[in-house]
Amino acid sequence: MKAVFVQDAYEVIVKEVDIPKLGDLEVLIKVKTAGICGSDIHTYKGLHPFRKPPVIIGHELAGEVVEVGAAVTKFQPGDRVTVEPQVGCGTCEYCLTGRVNYCEDRGAPGIGAWYGTMAEYFAAPEQTVYKLPEGMDYERGVLVEPFAVGVHAVRKAGISAGDKVAILGAGPIGLLAMAAAKAAGATTLLVTDVMDYALESASQMGATHTLNILHNAEWTEKARELIGGGLFDKVLIAAGVPGIVDQSLKLLRKGGRVVTIAMFHGDQTFNIHNLQNQEKEILGCMTYTREDFFIAIDLLAAGFVDDKALITHRLAPEQAAEGFRIVDKKEDRSLKVLVHFHD
């Protein structure tokens, strides 16, 4: 089968590999479409903490079940599915309490023997597979995983009806986090970025305010002006750039909460007085839980995500290198780039 490899930093190739052998509790999926995620770009640049080249890349997919293991009971060939791309040990405290994302032995595609999803076929443990609702096409199905990231961040932040929320970064994860915040009842949604086209998509997806911070040194003051001079209840960080944690605290009201979604490289510094004296909070955010996945599926099925404003490119496997390049360089107005494998 064809598979997309990040062979080395900034080198993407397509190779022929064997179709994965199926275990008794596994499901074999014919991949219809796979997405390029921001964390895949970290692998592409050689910066990911645990997914290292050479590797079959990808962890977002939607497709059709073509074979099931001997002990599988919940799926059959022909089912349309997506996958939660993480699996825990199953016995630790975290796994037993539904927090697989905390498991010290958590597995994920592209680590060890588990292939990434950007291939013609993908094998996954039965407990990680989810059926797509009737009427949900594969392109919306592939958004379940990144949308679950946004759902998890919104739930960590405790966003509720009437909240004023700032989302820093208008890449696909930031835009999907914004959509999740809107679904949770936030009524003021300000999105920042350095690309006007990304902010245009944010507006199409429901942002009440947008701000290009590229040429605005005092952008935190401008952000507050845009919402009438007030402060935000919650801030979601979806861009791991230097100084952004301290900037987020300047946007936040007393007792407010910052949630970090982005993957950071290097240290972040902030003024501790802005945190402690005003009882603000900074929370980390790591992937999602099973509950987040179910919520993401339900919200997508209900139309809470404008995929037309988010999906910008549909490529063949042989064009994957181009896809990684344009996402990394933010070229050609790229946001969510998909790789299609089967018609």
Side-chain angles (χ1 to χ4, degrees):
M1 68 173 185
K2 292 179 182 177
V4 177
F5 277 77
V6 174
Q7 186 70 12
D8 205 342
Y10 299 97
E11 182 184 356
V12 175
I13 63 172
V14 177
K15 292 200 296 191
E16 289 285 335
V17 298
D18 291 336
I19 294 174
K21 290 183 170 60
L22 207 58
D24 286 348
L25 286 169
E26 291 185 325
V27 172
L28 186 65
I29 300 164
K30 178 190 286 187
V31 177
K32 296 291 188 174
T33 187
I36 297 177
C37 175
S39 66
D40 294 330
I41 297 300
H42 290 280
T43 302
Y44 171 68
K45 297 165 79 168
L47 298 175
H48 199 284
F50 51 82
R51 192 176 283 113
K52 301 292 187 182
V55 62
I56 299 177
I57 196 63
H59 57 272
E60 302 172 353
L61 86 152
E64 178 187 345
V65 174
V66 292
E67 186 180 348
V68 299
V72 169
T73 60
K74 297 178 181 177
F75 299 93
Q76 60 186 3
D79 286 342
R80 299 165 55 260
V81 298
T82 187
V83 171
E84 177 188 339
Q86 60 180 4
V87 63
C89 68
T91 59
C92 71
E93 172 191 354
Y94 301 125
C95 287
L96 294 175
T97 55
R99 295 172 290 177
V100 172
N101 55 328
Y102 292 1
C103 179
E104 296 290 345
D105 294 320
R106 186 179 71 99
I111 301 173
W114 197 2
Y115 284 176
T117 63
M118 208 167 286
E120 291 186 280
Y121 294 90
F122 179 75
E126 180 182 26
Q127 75 265 29
T128 68
V129 182
Y130 296 71
K131 290 182 182 179
L132 298 179
E134 285 294 325
M136 183 181 290
D137 63 26
Y138 290 120
E139 288 197 348
R140 290 182 72 78
V142 82
L143 297 179
V144 171
E145 191 276 345
F147 192 32
V149 173
V151 168
H152 186 65
V154 164
R155 295 178 70 209
K156 291 285 286 185
I159 292 170
S160 58
D163 273 352
K164 297 177 181 179
V165 180
I167 299 94
L168 311 185
I173 293 296
L175 293 174
L176 288 166
M178 184 205 68
K182 183 179 180 181
T187 50
T188 297
L189 290 160
L190 178 136
V191 180
T192 67
D193 204 85
V194 297
M195 294 291 181
D196 285 333
Y197 75 84
L199 296 173
E200 291 169 12
S201 287
S203 295
Q204 292 176 46
M205 293 178 68
T208 57
H209 305 80
T210 62
L211 177 62
N212 191 318
I213 66 173
L214 184 60
H215 303 298
N216 195 332
E218 303 299 326
W219 69 266
T220 55
E221 291 297 322
K222 180 64 175 177
R224 293 175 57 181
E225 289 174 15
L226 286 174
I227 64 164
L231 291 163
F232 293 86
D233 301 295
K234 312 286 166 52
V235 179
L236 307 179
I237 300 178
V241 296
I244 200 164
V245 172
D246 202 41
Q247 290 164 332
S248 71
L249 292 172
K250 294 178 182 178
L251 298 173
L252 201 62
R253 66 163 173 82
K254 293 180 179 180
R257 182 175 292 173
V258 171
V259 173
T260 62
I261 312 171
M263 185 175 289
F264 292 87
H265 297 288
D267 295 334
Q268 285 278 330
T269 60
F270 60 89
N271 185 338
I272 191 66
H273 297 294
N274 289 336
L275 185 75
Q276 186 163 358
N277 293 355
Q278 300 180 29
E279 290 198 342
K280 298 175 182 179
E281 301 176 3
I282 303 173
L283 295 181
C285 181
M286 175 64 176
T287 63
Y288 27 66
T289 65
R290 189 169 182 82
E291 187 174 0
D292 298 319
F293 244 71
F294 283 123
I295 293 170
I297 290 171
D298 287 345
L299 291 176
L300 275 164
F304 278 93
V305 174
D306 182 355
D307 54 308
K308 292 181 175 60
L310 184 66
I311 298 171
T312 57
H313 294 74
R314 298 160 177 87
L315 306 176
E318 292 76 15
Q319 298 171 297
E322 175 191 352
F324 276 82
R325 178 180 55 78
I326 65 174
V327 173
D328 178 35
K329 301 296 185 183
K330 301 185 185 298
E331 295 176 349
D332 198 27
R333 298 175 65 89
S334 61
L335 287 169
K336 196 63 189 173
V337 175
L338 304 181
V339 178
H340 287 291
F341 284 90
H342 296 95
D343 296 330

